Structures are given as C-alpha cells and as structure tokens.
C-alpha cells in the first residue's frame, strides 16, 4: 500500500504540497510507515470531486445504493487481517484482540445500512403536506485514533445510504486502515468522487474541511476541545455539525447488586483499549456497604490483567508519548489531591522498558470535585467514589459537564431502570447489558450533539422537504 497518495475522484493522486508523517508503533516507539498529510489545495480538489459526484450519486435509487454498500462490506471483509494489523501497530491494541474489537463491529455497522437505504423512500403525509427526504450533500467525516474504523463506518454507512458523498479525514496516527477502505471502494468500482480520502492534520485538513463552503455537514468524533473548534469554524457557512465528543462516564454499583460481576464488567470495560474508549466507565460510584469489597476485587482483577502486546496481553501501550505523559500527569494530580492509590501508579510496568506502557491504575477515596474525577483521562485509570444513598449516586453521576454513557449494577432491573431514567447520558447500560450497534449512539451536554448508528444515525444525513399539495 502506498500511503503517500490521496484518493480523490476515484484515483490515487499526489498531494499538492502535503508532507509525510511518521506513524510510530506505540509498542516499539519506532516509525513503521509514512503517510501523507494533505494540504488545503488537496482538500479543495477532494471537495470538488465530491460535489461533482453528488449530482449523480444523490439521484441513485435506494436499491442501487444498497447493492454498493453490500459490495463494499464484502470487499472490506477481505482486508480484515490487514486492517487489524494496521490498527494494532498504529494505536497499540494487542493484535490478538484487534480484529474482533476494531474491525468486525465496524463492518457490521456498515452492513446495517444496506437495508436502511430504503428509509429514504418513505414519504410521510400530514394533511396536505408530503414530507420527502433528500441527502444533505457533501459530508466531511473526521475521526479519532482510538476506534478509527468504527468511527469511520458509523459515519460512512449512513452517508452512503442517504445518497451523500464524502471527504474522509482520519486521525494523523491512524490513517492506514482508511487506505484499505479507499482501496475497497476503488476495487468495487464505486462511482468516482463518492468516497475521497485526505489524511492530514486537524489544523490544516480539519480546519479546511470545517470552513469549506462546499461541505454541508461535518461529522466529527474526537475531543471536546477540537469539537468546539470544528463548530466555531463551521458556523460562518451554517453547515450542520455532528459532535461525538469526550466523556467521564459513571458506573454505579448500587446496594444489593452482584458486586463481583459489576467489578469484572467495570475493569474490563475501562482497561480494554488501554482506557482509550470515549464511553469508558472511569468514574465508579459505589454504595458505602460495598466499598471495601469493590476496592479489594478491583485490585485483584486489575492485577490479573497482563500489560503488553503478546497473545495473552489485555492492556496494550497507550497511543503515543504525549498521551502517556498526559495520563502520568493525571495520576500525579490524583496523588497530590489526596486520593488513595489502590494499584498501579507512576512506575513503568515490570519488564516493559520500551513502548508507551502504563500500569493500570485505581484510585479510591476520590471526591467527585477532584480533577481526576472531572477531567477525561483517556487512559487505564479508574476513580472510586463512595456514596450513601441512591439520590446521592444520581447527583454525583450527573455532576459532570459530560453526558455520554453510564452503567448501573443494581439489585434488579426495576431499580436499575429507575436510576437510569434520572441519569443525563445518551446511553445507559443496566446489569452488564451488551452494546447494540442498532441503537442510537451519542452524548448529552459537552459529550456532543446528534447520534450515530441505527435509524437515528441516518436521520442526521437527511434534509426534509415538505411539499404542500
Ligand atoms: P482529537 O480531538 O485530538 O482528534 C480527533 C480528530 O480531530 C483527529 O482526526 C484530529 O486530527 C482532528 N482535529 C483536531 N483538531 C481539529 C480541528 N481544529 N478541526 C478539525 N479536526 C480537528 O481527539 P483524539 O485525541 O484523536 O481522540 C480522543 C477523543 O475522542 C477523546 O476525547 C474521546 O472521548 C473522543 N471520542 C469520542 C467518541 C464518541 O463517539 N463520543 C468516540 C471516540 C472518541
């Protein structure tokens, strides 16, 4: 694969002035690939190509688009192992977990939009008004590095299904799997200009896309900081912005629940992907009756997880040196703020001198006002906070400017549901409920605007037109 090219208008082309970026493997700290960072001129070309393609792609029938998406799904499956390897080498998830965690779900998400193309044909009637749907236009899809293919598929599926054309910008560190998506589009003969790939930096490509007059929608996933910049840059051209941003999600471990199950669920949820999951339940709110048991069980479970990159490792390195430093700084802050270190800390994990590894870390005696309980750490760090009663648990859960996800372990479903209804979060999981790619995904408050996945994800790419007869 030649990562020095861009994919624009159905062709692999050279950048007009872009520079190569070293992709560093976080397990070895050395560069293993170079990828082009596109220029503003490249963005212009990509947008023009998507605008041209929109004229015909937006007029295709829903069944034609369904066939194209199905072809793309089938072609992408051929590259499952290559994409799993790229993602593992680029952001650190151990290879033995990469295909399942980072590739299979995303392809399923794309698959889920094959049949959803038909939703575009539904016409709602209210009195004399007939409400038609049309695709919004050219969309910029900007993704982060933590689940790079997942974020792309959650955007590409509905965009293609609705009849939109796209300009894709992956995160600098994790551009490689997107080359396989472009390759697959090329191999199936997707009409030229429907899918355009311009890897690049947030400051150049991200800003140019957000400001571009030729783009009608930016679907952005990343930090709240960058999401605000995108919205600010997009405002003068009145384009739509969907923001999937950060989180500081609570796990409530309530009186009378299955404490062992809650702890296992919570530790695995946070430690998978080395804590670099937007929905990670990194803020545990524990009923005072269970606090000692939870601390002991969490310590045992955490210490049983192997840190490394081998076939039996669960916790890989974090994505890069800067992220490692940021997380260490948070751990230092936690110690300074007076939280108690249950396990982990500032030292390197034993035997791992190379690679951006950290010890999975748990703090107890955390107060919800502490920095470590308020800021998204985005690493393998859990804060344990004690509460007295359900009312206080709900108050603490909502005492954050984020509102992405929450999990509850309660003595029964009815108790869990009663708590869930009072939590300000886009997604709530009760007693270990599994993740469902058909349900709307997204956050409240500063965790974002809009939803991805399912019917609601498609809705974001649609303009409604009321024709009065
Ligand atoms: P980031 O904000 O630094 O970067 C995300 C993407 O935005 C990258 O492609 C980056 O190049 C681009 N970008 C940066 N500045 C930009 C700008 N000014 N204009 C346009 N694009 C710009 O985030 P990250 O560190 O890559 O990802 C981690 C963050 O993403 C965490 O906060 C995490 O919670 C969040 N996230 C949220 C979800 C969700 O669905 N809510 C999912 C995954 C990750």
């Amino acid at each position: 694969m030649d990562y020095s090219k861009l994919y624009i208008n159905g062709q692999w082309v050279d950048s007009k002035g872009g520079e190569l970026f070293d992709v560093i493997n976080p397990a070895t700290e050395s560069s293993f690939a170079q990828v082009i960072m596109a220029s503003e001129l490249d963005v212009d070309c990509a947008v023009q190509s998507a605008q041209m393609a929109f004229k015909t792609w937006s007029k295709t029938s829903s069944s034609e688009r369904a066939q194209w998406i199905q072809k793309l799904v089938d072609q992408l499956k051929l590259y499952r192992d290559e994409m799993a390897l790229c993602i593992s080498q680029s952001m650190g998830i151990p290879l033995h977990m990469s295909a399942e965690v980072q590739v299979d779900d995303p392809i399923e998400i794309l698959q889920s939009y094959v049949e959803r193309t038909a939703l575009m044909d539904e016409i709602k009637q209210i009195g004399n008004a007939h409400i038609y749907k049309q695709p919004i236009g050219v969309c910029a899809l900007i993704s982060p590095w933590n689940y790079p293919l997942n974020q792309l598929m959650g955007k590409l599926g509905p965009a293609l299904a609705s009849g939109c054309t796209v300009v894709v910008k992956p995160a600098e560190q994790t551009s490689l799997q997107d080359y396989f998506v472009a390759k697959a589009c090329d191999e199936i003969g997707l009409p030229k200009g429907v899918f355009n790939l311009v890897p690049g930096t947030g400051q150049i490509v991200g800003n140019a896309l957000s400001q571009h007059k030729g783009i009608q929608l930016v679907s952005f996933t990343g930090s709240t900081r960058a999401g605000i910049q995108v919205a600010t840059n997009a405002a003068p051209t009145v384009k739509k912005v969907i923001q999937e941003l950060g989180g500081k999600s609570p796990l409530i471990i309530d009186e009378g629940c299955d404490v062992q199950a809650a702890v296992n669920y919570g530790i695995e949820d946070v430690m998978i992907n080395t804590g670099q999951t937007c929905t990670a339940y990194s803020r545990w709110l524990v009923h005072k009756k269970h606090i000692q048991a939870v601390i002991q069980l969490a310590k045992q479970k955490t210490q049983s997880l192997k840190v490394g990159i081998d076939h039996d490792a669960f916790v890989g390195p974090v994505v890069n040196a800067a992220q490692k430093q940021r997380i260490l700084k948070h751990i230092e802050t936690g110690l300074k703020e007076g939280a108690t270190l249950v396990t982990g800390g500032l030292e390197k994990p034993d035997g791992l001198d190379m690679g951006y590894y950290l010890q999975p870390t748990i703090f107890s005696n955390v107060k919800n006002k502490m920095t470590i309980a308020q800021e998204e750490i985005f690493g393998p760090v859990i804060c344990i906070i004690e509460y007295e009663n359900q009312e206080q648990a709900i108050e603490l859960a909502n005492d954050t400017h984020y509102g992405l996800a929450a999990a509850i372990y309660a003595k029964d479903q009815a108790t869990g549901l009663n708590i869930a209804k009072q939590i300000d979060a886009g997604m709530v999981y009760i007693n270990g409920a599994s993740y469902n790619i058909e349900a709307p995904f997204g956050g409240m408050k500063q965790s974002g605007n809009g939803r991805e996945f399912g019917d609601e994800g498609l809705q974001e790419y649609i303009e409604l037109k009321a024709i009065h007869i």
Side-chain angles (χ1 to χ4, degrees):
M1 186 71 83
D2 182 357
Y3 301 119
S4 69
K5 302 276 185 194
L6 308 167
Y7 188 69
I8 296 177
N9 203 27
Q11 286 181 324
W12 293 103
V13 297
D14 288 325
S15 165
K16 296 180 169 62
E19 286 177 8
L20 289 171
F21 171 90
D22 276 316
V23 186
I24 310 283
N25 181 336
T28 63
E29 302 185 23
S30 51
S31 167
F32 70 98
Q34 286 197 314
V35 65
I36 192 73
M37 296 285 104
S39 66
E40 284 180 15
L41 282 175
D42 298 325
V43 170
D44 267 342
C45 293
V47 174
Q48 276 172 30
S49 140
Q51 283 177 308
M52 281 299 291
F54 184 74
K55 290 180 186 169
T56 44
W57 179 253
S58 59
K59 305 278 187 312
T60 52
S61 68
S62 55
S63 63
E64 271 175 83
R65 290 196 303 281
Q67 283 170 26
W68 281 116
I69 298 172
Q70 186 61 59
K71 277 190 201 169
L72 184 55
V73 165
D74 296 341
Q75 197 69 13
L76 279 177
K77 284 184 179 166
L78 303 178
Y79 297 119
R80 176 182 190 253
D81 293 344
E82 280 96 331
M83 291 193 288
L85 181 63
C86 285
I87 296 173
S88 171
Q89 289 179 325
S90 308
M91 54 72 68
I93 188 167
L95 183 58
H96 72 96
M97 303 163 90
S98 185
E100 200 181 317
V101 175
Q102 293 280 1
V103 181
D104 294 347
D105 265 3
I107 294 179
E108 275 302 299
I109 291 168
L110 185 63
Q111 175 77 59
S112 76
Y113 282 97
V114 171
E115 286 190 6
R116 286 200 164 89
T117 54
L119 295 176
M120 293 302 289
D121 302 329
E122 288 178 2
I123 303 160
K124 190 169 155 190
Q125 199 178 338
I126 307 173
N128 70 335
H130 297 243
I131 313 209
Y132 284 77
K133 299 187 177 85
Q134 68 182 52
I136 193 165
V138 176
C139 303
L141 313 183
I142 303 180
S143 328
W145 47 261
N146 60 337
Y147 291 94
L149 191 64
N150 193 66
Q151 305 312 326
L152 175 58
M153 291 301 140
K155 301 174 193 309
L156 185 63
L160 293 182
S162 62
C164 292
T165 57
V166 302
V167 180
V168 170
K169 189 204 98 58
E172 296 83 324
Q173 177 73 21
T174 52
S175 303
L176 308 191
Q177 73 293 323
D178 285 17
Y179 275 82
F180 285 92
V181 180
K183 182 173 161 65
C185 289
D186 197 57
E187 286 168 347
I188 62 169
L190 188 72
K192 59 182 189 177
V194 171
F195 178 98
N196 302 276
L197 176 63
V198 283
T201 63
Q203 286 316 311
I204 295 178
V205 175
N207 281 349
L209 287 169
S210 310
Q211 290 167 357
H212 209 290
K213 283 187 186 142
I215 285 179
Q216 280 72 46
L217 174 148
V218 184
S219 177
F220 174 84
T221 303
S223 60
T224 299
R225 172 200 61 78
I228 292 169
Q229 273 183 13
V230 170
T232 309
N233 285 333
T237 47
V238 199
K239 56 173 66 74
K240 182 170 178 180
V241 179
I242 304 168
Q243 295 161 306
E244 296 291 349
L245 310 177
K248 191 77 189 178
S249 302
L251 163 63
I252 298 179
I253 302 184
D254 196 35
E255 194 179 1
C257 75
D258 181 342
V259 174
Q260 178 76 70
V263 167
N264 288 346
Y265 174 85
I267 296 289
E268 284 177 15
D269 173 85
V270 175
M271 297 308 169
I272 200 162
N273 225 34
T274 320
Q276 303 164 122
T277 301
C278 53
T279 52
Y281 309 122
S282 55
R283 210 162 46 101
W284 289 18
L285 308 175
V286 181
H287 189 276
K288 63 178 179 189
K289 262 196 186 162
H290 299 313
I291 194 84
Q292 287 314 322
V294 165
I295 291 171
Q296 279 319 310
L297 292 169
K299 182 176 177 177
Q300 272 167 24
K301 174 79 183 165
T302 303
Q303 291 178 349
S304 75
L305 300 176
K306 184 171 171 197
V307 182
I309 200 76
D310 300 335
H311 67 280
D312 53 349
F314 190 81
V315 185
V318 296
V319 68
N320 56 31
Q323 181 75 357
K324 182 176 169 182
Q325 284 316 315
R326 255 197 305 271
I327 298 166
L328 285 172
K329 197 131 190 61
H330 276 293
I331 298 176
E332 235 173 71
T333 304
L335 294 169
K336 277 193 201 136
E337 285 180 320
T340 306
L341 193 62
V342 175
T343 183
L346 297 166
E347 305 298 318
K348 275 185 187 168
D350 285 344
L352 291 168
D353 292 333
M354 200 176 32
Y356 306 125
Y357 292 101
L358 289 162
Q359 285 191 61
T361 296
I362 298 188
F363 282 112
S364 64
N365 279 324
V366 177
K367 303 287 170 239
N368 201 50
K369 289 281 177 245
M370 287 181 182
T371 316
I372 52 167
Q374 287 294 322
E375 289 188 9
E376 185 185 45
I377 297 176
F378 223 54
V381 182
I382 292 173
C383 298
I384 299 182
I385 301 166
E386 184 177 330
Y387 69 82
E388 301 259 330
N389 54 46
Q390 257 177 38
E391 204 181 8
Q392 195 195 6
I394 292 161
E395 203 180 297
L396 288 169
N398 290 335
D399 181 16
T400 160
H401 57 263
Y402 291 116
L404 189 55
I408 299 161
Y409 265 78
K411 66 176 191 283
D412 53 37
Q413 192 179 312
T415 311
L417 190 58
N418 179 44
I419 299 173
K421 287 179 179 170
Q422 299 177 70
I423 307 278
D424 300 330
M427 297 156 289
V428 188
Y429 296 80
I430 299 173
N431 287 345
S434 56
Y435 172 62
N436 178 349
I437 59 157
E438 302 283 335
F441 183 102
M444 299 180 181
K445 303 196 297 194
Q446 289 189 24
S447 288
N449 280 308
R451 293 292 180 269
E452 294 195 311
F453 308 163
D455 292 353
E456 291 77 9
L458 181 67
Q459 215 59 50
E460 303 285 357
Y461 292 77
I462 295 173
E463 285 286 18
L464 296 176
K465 186 186 285 175
I467 301 183
H468 298 77
I469 297 176

